[in-house]
Coordinates of all heavy atoms in Angstrom, one line a residue:
M1 N 0.8 -1.2 0.0 CA 0.0 0.0 0.0 C 0.9 1.2 0.0 O 1.9 1.3 0.7 CB -0.9 0.0 1.3 CG -1.8 1.2 1.3 SD -2.8 1.3 2.8 CE -1.5 2.0 3.9
N2 N 0.5 2.2 -0.8 CA 1.2 3.5 -0.8 C 0.7 4.4 0.3 O -0.5 4.8 0.2 CB 1.1 4.1 -2.2 CG 2.0 5.4 -2.3 OD1 2.3 6.0 -1.3 ND2 2.4 5.7 -3.5
R3 N 1.5 4.7 1.3 CA 1.0 5.5 2.5 C 0.7 6.9 2.1 O 0.1 7.7 2.9 CB 1.9 5.4 3.6 CG 1.9 4.0 4.3 CD 2.9 4.0 5.4 NE 2.8 2.7 6.1 CZ 3.8 2.1 6.7 NH1 5.0 2.5 6.5 NH2 3.7 1.0 7.3
H4 N 1.3 7.4 1.0 CA 1.1 8.8 0.6 C -0.3 9.0 0.0 O -0.7 10.1 -0.2 CB 2.2 9.2 -0.4 CG 3.6 9.1 0.3 ND1 4.0 10.1 1.2 CD2 4.5 8.2 0.1 CE1 5.2 9.7 1.6 NE2 5.6 8.6 1.0
L5 N -1.0 8.0 -0.5 CA -2.3 8.1 -1.1 C -3.4 7.8 -0.1 O -3.5 6.7 0.3 CB -2.3 7.2 -2.3 CG -1.3 7.5 -3.4 CD1 -1.5 6.4 -4.5 CD2 -1.6 8.9 -4.0
P6 N -4.2 8.9 0.2 CA -5.3 8.6 1.1 C -6.2 7.6 0.6 O -6.5 7.5 -0.6 CB -6.0 10.0 1.2 CG -4.9 11.0 0.9 CD -4.1 10.3 -0.2
S7 N -6.7 6.7 1.4 CA -7.7 5.7 1.0 C -8.5 5.3 2.2 O -8.3 5.8 3.3 CB -7.0 4.4 0.4 OG -6.4 3.7 1.5
S8 N -9.4 4.4 2.1 CA -10.3 4.1 3.2 C -9.4 3.4 4.3 O -9.8 3.5 5.5 CB -11.4 3.1 2.8 OG -10.8 2.0 2.2
S9 N -8.3 2.8 4.0 CA -7.5 2.2 5.0 C -6.2 3.0 5.4 O -5.3 2.6 6.0 CB -7.0 0.8 4.5 OG -6.3 1.0 3.3
Y10 N -6.2 4.3 4.9 CA -5.1 5.2 5.2 C -4.9 5.4 6.7 O -5.9 5.8 7.3 CB -5.2 6.5 4.4 CG -4.1 7.5 4.7 CD1 -2.9 7.3 4.2 CD2 -4.4 8.6 5.6 CE1 -1.9 8.3 4.4 CE2 -3.4 9.5 5.9 CZ -2.1 9.3 5.3 OH -1.1 10.2 5.5
V11 N -3.7 5.3 7.2 CA -3.4 5.6 8.6 C -2.4 6.7 8.6 O -1.3 6.5 8.1 CB -3.0 4.4 9.4 CG1 -2.6 4.7 10.8 CG2 -4.0 3.2 9.3
R12 N -2.7 7.8 9.3 CA -1.7 8.9 9.3 C -0.5 8.5 10.2 O -0.7 8.0 11.3 CB -2.4 10.1 9.9 CG -1.6 11.4 9.8 CD -2.3 12.6 10.4 NE -2.6 12.5 11.8 CZ -3.3 13.3 12.5 NH1 -3.9 14.3 11.9 NH2 -3.5 13.1 13.8
P13 N 0.7 8.8 9.7 CA 1.9 8.5 10.5 C 1.9 9.3 11.8 O 1.4 10.4 11.8 CB 3.0 8.9 9.6 CG 2.5 9.3 8.3 CD 1.0 9.4 8.4
L14 N 2.4 8.7 12.8 CA 2.6 9.5 14.1 C 3.6 10.6 13.9 O 3.5 11.7 14.4 CB 3.1 8.5 15.2 CG 3.2 9.1 16.6 CD1 1.9 9.6 17.1 CD2 3.8 8.0 17.5
L15 N 4.7 10.2 13.2 CA 5.8 11.2 12.9 C 6.1 11.2 11.4 O 6.2 10.1 10.8 CB 7.0 10.8 13.7 CG 8.3 11.6 13.4 CD1 8.1 13.1 13.9 CD2 9.5 11.0 14.0
C16 N 6.1 12.4 10.8 CA 6.5 12.5 9.4 C 7.6 13.6 9.3 O 7.4 14.7 9.7 CB 5.2 12.9 8.6 SG 5.6 13.1 6.9
I17 N 8.7 13.2 8.8 CA 9.8 14.1 8.5 C 9.9 14.3 7.0 O 10.0 13.3 6.2 CB 11.1 13.5 9.0 CG1 11.1 13.2 10.5 CG2 12.3 14.4 8.7 CD1 10.7 14.4 11.4
D18 N 9.8 15.5 6.6 CA 9.7 15.8 5.2 C 10.8 16.7 4.7 O 10.9 17.9 5.2 CB 8.3 16.5 4.9 CG 8.1 16.7 3.4 OD1 8.7 16.0 2.6 OD2 7.3 17.7 3.1
E19 N 11.7 16.2 3.9 CA 12.8 17.0 3.4 C 13.6 17.8 4.4 O 13.9 19.0 4.3 CB 12.3 17.9 2.3 CG 11.7 17.2 1.1 CD 12.7 16.7 0.1 OE1 13.8 17.2 0.0 OE2 12.4 15.6 -0.5
M20 N 14.0 17.1 5.5 CA 14.7 17.8 6.6 C 16.2 17.8 6.3 O 16.8 16.8 5.9 CB 14.5 17.1 7.9 CG 15.2 17.7 9.1 SD 14.8 17.0 10.6 CE 13.3 17.8 11.0
S21 N 16.8 19.0 6.4 CA 18.2 19.2 6.2 C 18.7 20.0 7.5 O 18.1 20.9 8.0 CB 18.5 20.0 5.0 OG 18.1 19.4 3.8
V22 N 19.9 19.6 7.9 CA 20.6 20.3 9.0 C 22.0 20.7 8.6 O 22.7 19.9 8.0 CB 20.6 19.3 10.2 CG1 21.3 20.0 11.4 CG2 19.3 18.8 10.6
S23 N 22.3 22.0 9.0 CA 23.7 22.4 8.8 C 24.1 23.2 10.0 O 23.3 23.6 10.8 CB 23.7 23.3 7.5 OG 22.9 24.4 7.7
F24 N 25.4 23.3 10.1 CA 26.0 24.0 11.3 C 26.9 25.1 10.8 O 27.7 24.8 9.8 CB 26.9 23.0 12.1 CG 26.1 21.9 12.8 CD1 26.0 20.7 12.2 CD2 25.4 22.1 14.0 CE1 25.2 19.6 12.8 CE2 24.7 21.1 14.6 CZ 24.6 19.9 14.0
D25 N 26.8 26.2 11.4 CA 27.8 27.3 11.1 C 28.9 27.2 12.1 O 28.7 27.2 13.3 CB 27.1 28.7 11.2 CG 26.2 29.0 10.1 OD1 26.5 28.6 8.9 OD2 25.0 29.4 10.3
T26 N 30.1 27.0 11.5 CA 31.3 26.8 12.4 C 32.4 27.8 11.9 O 32.2 28.5 10.9 CB 31.9 25.4 12.2 OG1 32.6 25.3 11.0 CG2 30.8 24.3 12.3
S27 N 33.4 27.9 12.7 CA 34.5 28.9 12.4 C 35.2 28.5 11.1 O 35.9 29.3 10.5 CB 35.5 28.9 13.6 OG 36.0 27.6 13.8
L28 N 35.0 27.3 10.7 CA 35.7 26.8 9.5 C 34.7 26.8 8.3 O 35.0 26.4 7.2 CB 36.2 25.4 9.6 CG 37.4 25.2 10.7 CD1 37.8 23.8 10.9 CD2 38.6 26.1 10.3
G29 N 33.5 27.3 8.5 CA 32.5 27.4 7.5 C 31.3 26.6 7.8 O 31.1 26.1 8.9
R30 N 30.4 26.4 6.8 CA 29.1 25.7 7.0 C 29.3 24.2 6.8 O 29.9 23.8 5.8 CB 28.1 26.3 6.1 CG 26.7 25.5 6.2 CD 25.6 26.4 5.6 NE 25.2 27.4 6.6 CZ 23.9 27.8 6.7 NH1 23.0 27.3 5.9 NH2 23.6 28.7 7.6
V31 N 28.8 23.4 7.7 CA 28.8 22.0 7.6 C 27.4 21.5 7.3 O 26.5 21.8 8.0 CB 29.3 21.3 8.9 CG1 29.2 19.8 8.8 CG2 30.7 21.8 9.3
K32 N 27.3 20.9 6.1 CA 26.0 20.3 5.8 C 26.0 18.9 6.4 O 26.5 17.9 5.8 CB 25.9 20.2 4.2 CG 25.7 21.6 3.6 CD 25.6 21.5 2.1 CE 25.4 22.9 1.5 NZ 25.3 22.8 0.0
A33 N 25.3 18.7 7.5 CA 25.3 17.5 8.3 C 24.4 16.5 7.8 O 24.6 15.3 7.9 CB 25.0 17.8 9.8
A34 N 23.2 16.9 7.3 CA 22.2 15.9 6.8 C 21.4 16.7 5.8 O 21.0 17.8 6.0 CB 21.3 15.4 7.9
Q35 N 21.0 16.0 4.7 CA 20.3 16.7 3.6 C 19.1 15.9 3.1 O 19.2 14.7 2.8 CB 21.2 17.0 2.4 CG 22.3 18.0 2.8 CD 23.1 18.4 1.6 OE1 24.2 17.9 1.3 NE2 22.6 19.4 0.8
N36 N 18.0 16.6 3.1 CA 16.7 16.1 2.4 C 16.3 14.7 2.9 O 16.1 13.8 2.2 CB 16.9 16.0 0.9 CG 17.4 17.4 0.3 OD1 16.8 18.4 0.7 ND2 18.3 17.3 -0.6
I37 N 16.2 14.6 4.2 CA 15.8 13.4 4.9 C 14.3 13.3 5.0 O 13.6 14.3 5.4 CB 16.4 13.3 6.3 CG1 17.9 13.4 6.3 CG2 16.0 12.0 7.0 CD1 18.7 12.4 5.4
C38 N 13.7 12.2 4.5 CA 12.3 12.0 4.6 C 12.1 10.6 5.4 O 12.8 9.6 5.1 CB 11.6 11.9 3.3 SG 11.8 13.3 2.2
L39 N 11.2 10.6 6.3 CA 10.8 9.3 6.9 C 9.4 9.4 7.6 O 8.9 10.5 7.8 CB 11.9 8.9 8.0 CG 12.1 9.8 9.2 CD1 11.1 9.5 10.3 CD2 13.5 9.7 9.7
E40 N 8.8 8.3 7.8 CA 7.6 8.2 8.4 C 7.6 7.1 9.5 O 8.3 6.1 9.3 CB 6.4 7.8 7.5 CG 6.0 8.8 6.5 CD 4.9 8.4 5.6 OE1 4.5 7.2 5.7 OE2 4.3 9.3 4.9
L41 N 7.0 7.4 10.6 CA 6.9 6.4 11.7 C 5.5 6.3 12.2 O 4.9 7.3 12.5 CB 7.8 6.9 12.9 CG 7.9 6.0 14.1 CD1 8.6 4.7 13.7 CD2 8.7 6.7 15.2
H42 N 5.0 5.1 12.2 CA 3.6 4.9 12.6 C 3.6 4.4 14.1 O 4.6 3.9 14.6 CB 3.0 3.9 11.7 CG 2.6 4.4 10.4 ND1 3.6 4.7 9.4 CD2 1.5 4.8 9.8 CE1 3.0 5.2 8.3 NE2 1.7 5.3 8.5
E43 N 2.4 4.5 14.7 CA 2.2 4.0 16.0 C 2.6 2.5 16.1 O 2.3 1.8 15.2 CB 0.8 4.2 16.5 CG 0.4 5.6 16.9 CD -1.0 5.7 17.5 OE1 -1.3 4.7 18.2 OE2 -1.6 6.6 17.2
R44 N 3.3 2.2 17.2 CA 3.7 0.8 17.5 C 4.8 0.3 16.5 O 5.1 -0.8 16.4 CB 2.5 -0.2 17.5 CG 1.6 0.0 18.7 CD 0.5 -0.9 18.7 NE -0.4 -0.7 17.6 CZ -1.4 0.2 17.6 NH1 -1.5 1.0 18.7 NH2 -2.2 0.4 16.6
E45 N 5.4 1.3 15.7 CA 6.5 0.9 14.9 C 7.8 1.3 15.5 O 7.9 2.2 16.3 CB 6.4 1.6 13.5 CG 5.6 0.9 12.5 CD 5.7 1.7 11.1 OE1 6.3 2.7 11.0 OE2 5.1 1.1 10.2
T46 N 8.9 0.6 15.2 CA 10.2 1.0 15.6 C 11.0 1.3 14.3 O 10.9 0.5 13.3 CB 10.9 -0.2 16.3 OG1 10.2 -0.5 17.5 CG2 12.4 0.2 16.7
L47 N 11.7 2.4 14.3 CA 12.5 2.8 13.1 C 13.9 2.9 13.4 O 14.3 3.6 14.4 CB 11.9 4.1 12.5 CG 12.6 4.7 11.3 CD1 12.3 3.8 10.1 CD2 12.2 6.1 11.1
A48 N 14.8 2.3 12.7 CA 16.2 2.4 12.9 C 16.9 3.2 11.8 O 16.6 3.0 10.7 CB 16.9 1.0 13.0
L49 N 17.7 4.2 12.2 CA 18.5 5.0 11.3 C 19.8 4.3 11.1 O 20.6 4.1 12.1 CB 18.7 6.4 11.7 CG 17.4 7.2 11.9 CD1 17.8 8.7 12.3 CD2 16.6 7.3 10.6
V50 N 20.2 3.9 9.9 CA 21.4 3.1 9.7 C 22.2 3.8 8.7 O 21.7 4.3 7.7 CB 21.1 1.7 9.2 CG1 22.3 0.9 9.0 CG2 20.2 0.9 10.2
G51 N 23.5 3.9 8.9 CA 24.4 4.5 7.9 C 25.8 4.6 8.5 O 26.0 4.4 9.7
E52 N 26.7 5.0 7.6 CA 28.1 5.1 8.0 C 28.3 6.2 9.0 O 27.5 7.1 9.1 CB 29.0 5.3 6.7 CG 28.7 6.7 6.1 CD 29.4 6.8 4.7 OE1 30.0 5.8 4.2 OE2 29.3 7.9 4.1
T53 N 29.4 6.2 9.7 CA 29.6 7.2 10.7 C 29.7 8.6 10.0 O 30.3 8.7 9.0 CB 30.9 6.9 11.5 OG1 31.1 7.8 12.6 CG2 32.2 6.9 10.6
G54 N 29.1 9.6 10.7 CA 29.1 10.9 10.2 C 28.0 11.2 9.1 O 28.0 12.3 8.6
C55 N 27.1 10.3 8.8 CA 26.1 10.5 7.8 C 25.0 11.3 8.3 O 24.1 11.7 7.5 CB 25.7 9.2 7.1 SG 24.6 8.2 8.2
G56 N 24.8 11.5 9.6 CA 23.8 12.4 10.1 C 22.7 11.8 10.9 O 21.7 12.4 11.2
K57 N 22.9 10.6 11.4 CA 21.9 9.9 12.1 C 21.5 10.6 13.4 O 20.4 10.9 13.7 CB 22.3 8.4 12.5 CG 22.7 7.6 11.3 CD 23.2 6.2 11.6 CE 24.5 6.2 12.4 NZ 25.7 6.6 11.7
S58 N 22.6 10.9 14.2 CA 22.4 11.6 15.5 C 21.8 13.0 15.3 O 21.0 13.5 16.1 CB 23.7 11.7 16.3 OG 24.1 10.4 16.6
V59 N 22.3 13.7 14.3 CA 21.9 15.1 14.0 C 20.4 15.1 13.6 O 19.6 16.0 14.1 CB 22.7 15.6 12.8 CG1 22.0 16.8 12.1 CG2 24.1 16.1 13.4
I60 N 19.9 14.1 12.8 CA 18.5 14.1 12.5 C 17.7 13.8 13.8 O 16.6 14.4 14.0 CB 18.2 13.0 11.4 CG1 18.7 13.6 10.1 CG2 16.8 12.7 11.3 CD1 18.0 14.8 9.6
A61 N 18.1 12.8 14.6 CA 17.4 12.5 15.8 C 17.3 13.7 16.7 O 16.3 14.0 17.3 CB 18.0 11.3 16.5
S62 N 18.4 14.4 16.8 CA 18.4 15.6 17.7 C 17.5 16.7 17.1 O 16.9 17.4 17.9 CB 19.9 16.1 17.8 OG 20.7 15.2 18.4
A63 N 17.5 16.9 15.8 CA 16.7 17.9 15.2 C 15.2 17.6 15.5 O 14.4 18.5 15.8 CB 16.9 17.9 13.7
I64 N 14.8 16.3 15.4 CA 13.4 15.9 15.6 C 13.0 16.2 17.1 O 11.9 16.7 17.3 CB 13.2 14.4 15.4 CG1 13.4 14.1 13.9 CG2 11.9 13.9 15.9 CD1 13.5 12.6 13.5
M65 N 14.0 16.0 18.0 CA 13.7 16.3 19.4 C 14.0 17.8 19.8 O 13.9 18.1 20.9 CB 14.5 15.4 20.3 CG 14.1 13.9 20.1 SD 15.0 12.8 21.2 CE 16.6 12.8 20.5
Q66 N 14.4 18.6 18.8 CA 14.7 20.0 19.0 C 15.8 20.2 20.1 O 15.7 21.0 21.0 CB 13.5 20.8 19.3 CG 12.4 20.7 18.2 CD 11.2 21.5 18.5 OE1 10.9 22.0 19.6 NE2 10.5 21.8 17.4
L67 N 16.9 19.4 19.9 CA 18.0 19.4 20.9 C 19.3 19.8 20.2 O 20.4 19.6 20.8 CB 18.2 18.0 21.5 CG 17.0 17.5 22.4 CD1 17.3 16.1 22.9 CD2 16.9 18.5 23.6
L68 N 19.2 20.5 19.1 CA 20.5 20.9 18.4 C 21.0 22.1 19.0 O 20.3 22.9 19.6 CB 20.2 21.1 16.9 CG 19.9 19.9 16.1 CD1 19.4 20.3 14.7 CD2 21.1 19.0 15.9
P69 N 22.4 22.3 18.9 CA 23.0 23.5 19.5 C 22.6 24.8 18.6 O 22.0 24.6 17.5 CB 24.5 23.2 19.4 CG 24.6 22.2 18.3 CD 23.3 21.4 18.4
S70 N 22.9 25.9 19.2 CA 22.4 27.2 18.6 C 23.0 27.5 17.2 O 22.5 28.3 16.5 CB 22.7 28.3 19.5 OG 24.0 28.4 19.8
N71 N 24.2 26.8 16.9 CA 24.8 27.1 15.6 C 24.2 26.2 14.5 O 24.7 26.2 13.3 CB 26.3 26.9 15.6 CG 26.7 25.4 15.9 OD1 26.0 24.7 16.6 ND2 27.8 25.0 15.3
A72 N 23.1 25.5 14.8 CA 22.5 24.6 13.8 C 21.3 25.4 13.1 O 20.6 26.2 13.7 CB 21.9 23.4 14.5
S73 N 21.2 25.0 11.8 CA 20.0 25.5 11.0 C 19.3 24.3 10.5 O 19.9 23.4 10.0 CB 20.4 26.4 9.8 OG 21.2 27.5 10.3
V74 N 18.0 24.3 10.7 CA 17.1 23.2 10.2 C 16.2 23.6 9.2 O 15.5 24.7 9.3 CB 16.4 22.5 11.4 CG1 15.5 21.3 10.9 CG2 17.3 22.1 12.5
K75 N 16.1 22.9 8.1 CA 15.1 23.2 7.0 C 14.2 21.9 6.9 O 14.6 20.8 7.2 CB 15.8 23.5 5.7 CG 16.5 24.8 5.7 CD 17.1 25.1 4.3 CE 17.8 26.4 4.3 NZ 18.5 26.7 3.0
G76 N 13.0 22.1 6.4 CA 12.1 21.0 6.2 C 11.0 21.0 7.3 O 10.9 22.0 8.0
R77 N 10.3 19.9 7.3 CA 9.1 19.9 8.2 C 9.2 18.6 9.1 O 9.6 17.6 8.6 CB 7.8 19.8 7.4 CG 7.5 21.1 6.6 CD 6.3 20.9 5.7 NE 5.1 21.0 6.5 CZ 3.9 20.5 6.0 NH1 3.9 19.9 4.8 NH2 2.8 20.6 6.7
A78 N 8.7 18.8 10.3 CA 8.5 17.7 11.2 C 7.1 17.7 11.7 O 6.7 18.7 12.4 CB 9.5 17.7 12.4
I79 N 6.3 16.7 11.4 CA 4.9 16.7 11.8 C 4.8 15.6 12.8 O 5.0 14.4 12.4 CB 4.0 16.6 10.6 CG1 4.2 17.7 9.7 CG2 2.5 16.5 11.1 CD1 3.5 17.6 8.3
F80 N 4.4 15.9 14.0 CA 4.2 14.9 15.1 C 2.8 14.9 15.5 O 2.3 16.0 16.0 CB 5.2 15.1 16.3 CG 5.0 14.1 17.3 CD1 5.5 12.8 17.2 CD2 4.3 14.4 18.5 CE1 5.3 11.8 18.2 CE2 4.2 13.4 19.5 CZ 4.7 12.1 19.3
S81 N 2.1 13.8 15.4 CA 0.7 13.7 15.9 C -0.2 14.8 15.2 O -1.0 15.4 15.9 CB 0.6 13.8 17.4 OG -0.6 13.3 17.9
G82 N 0.1 15.1 14.0 CA -0.7 16.1 13.2 C -0.2 17.5 13.5 O -0.8 18.4 12.8
I83 N 0.7 17.8 14.4 CA 1.2 19.1 14.7 C 2.5 19.4 13.9 O 3.4 18.6 14.0 CB 1.4 19.3 16.2 CG1 0.0 19.1 16.9 CG2 1.9 20.7 16.5 CD1 0.1 19.0 18.4
D84 N 2.5 20.5 13.1 CA 3.7 20.8 12.4 C 4.6 21.7 13.2 O 4.3 22.8 13.6 CB 3.2 21.6 11.1 CG 4.3 21.8 10.1 OD1 5.5 21.7 10.5 OD2 4.0 22.1 9.0
F85 N 5.8 21.1 13.5 CA 6.8 21.8 14.3 C 7.7 22.5 13.4 O 8.8 23.0 13.7 CB 7.6 20.8 15.1 CG 6.7 20.2 16.3 CD1 6.0 19.1 16.1 CD2 6.7 20.9 17.5 CE1 5.2 18.6 17.2 CE2 5.9 20.4 18.5 CZ 5.2 19.3 18.4
Ligands
ATP101 N1 27.7 20.7 16.6 C1 28.2 20.4 15.4 N2 28.9 21.3 14.8 C2 29.4 21.1 13.5 N3 29.3 19.9 12.9 C3 28.6 18.9 13.5 C4 28.0 19.1 14.8 N4 27.4 18.0 15.2 C5 27.6 17.1 14.2 N5 28.3 17.7 13.2 C6 28.7 17.0 11.9 O1 27.5 16.5 11.3 C7 27.7 15.3 10.6 C8 26.8 14.3 11.0 O2 27.1 13.9 12.4 P1 26.3 12.8 13.2 O3 26.8 12.9 14.6 O4 24.8 13.0 13.0 O5 26.7 11.5 12.5 P2 26.2 10.0 12.9 O6 25.6 9.4 11.6 O7 25.4 10.0 14.1 O8 27.6 9.2 13.1 P3 28.0 8.0 14.2 O9 27.6 6.8 13.5 O10 29.5 8.1 14.3 O11 27.3 8.3 15.5 C9 29.2 15.0 10.8 O12 30.0 15.5 9.7 C10 29.5 15.8 12.1 O13 30.9 16.1 12.2
MG102 MG1 25.6 9.2 16.1

């Protein structure tokens, strides 16, 4: 089933991350830490972020929880339980 197409059995995700990008302004310039990340998490689901070291797993998790330091810039949307953060 394509979750992006509403239907009679469509279930809205608990968490939807749409085109999220995170960068950091540092003394050495701008670091593009994660780019154009999209994911969906439904109730009672577990989602693992997997990838090589430095690919942005922790940065994306921190952005979702709004725990990034002040030199971070976040683009994109995070929708949790229907609320757009
Ligand atoms: N506060 C920060 N300032 C500048 N760059 C940062 C900062 N935090 C993370 N980065 C950079 O963002 C990129 C992604 O880092 P992140 O910690 O999300 O990687 P990761 O996928 O969690 O790696 P690992 O598997 O080693 O935990 C890296 O290039 C990292 O150096
Ligand atoms: Mg990490």
Side-chain angles (χ1 to χ4, degrees):
M1 182 185 78
N2 187 335
R3 288 177 173 146
H4 296 284
L5 296 176
S7 71
S8 58
S9 60
Y10 175 77
V11 178
R12 187 177 68 187
L14 181 63
L15 174 67
C16 179
I17 302 302
D18 185 26
E19 296 283 330
M20 180 175 277
S21 298
V22 179
S23 60
F24 295 96
D25 286 319
T26 76
S27 57
L28 297 176
R30 175 160 282 211
V31 175
K32 292 181 178 178
Q35 291 186 267
N36 304 320
I37 304 301
C38 301
L39 61 86
E40 287 184 352
L41 182 65
H42 287 74
E43 282 188 38
R44 291 181 293 279
E45 273 186 356
T46 300
L47 178 71
L49 298 180
V50 179
E52 63 190 6
T53 186
C55 73
K57 303 179 295 290
S58 295
V59 157
I60 286 297
S62 297
I64 291 169
M65 295 184 288
Q66 301 186 340
L67 292 175
L68 288 170
S70 59
N71 66 328
S73 301
V74 181
K75 291 182 179 173
R77 296 172 76 198
I79 300 168
F80 180 74
S81 197
I83 300 170
D84 190 339
F85 289 89

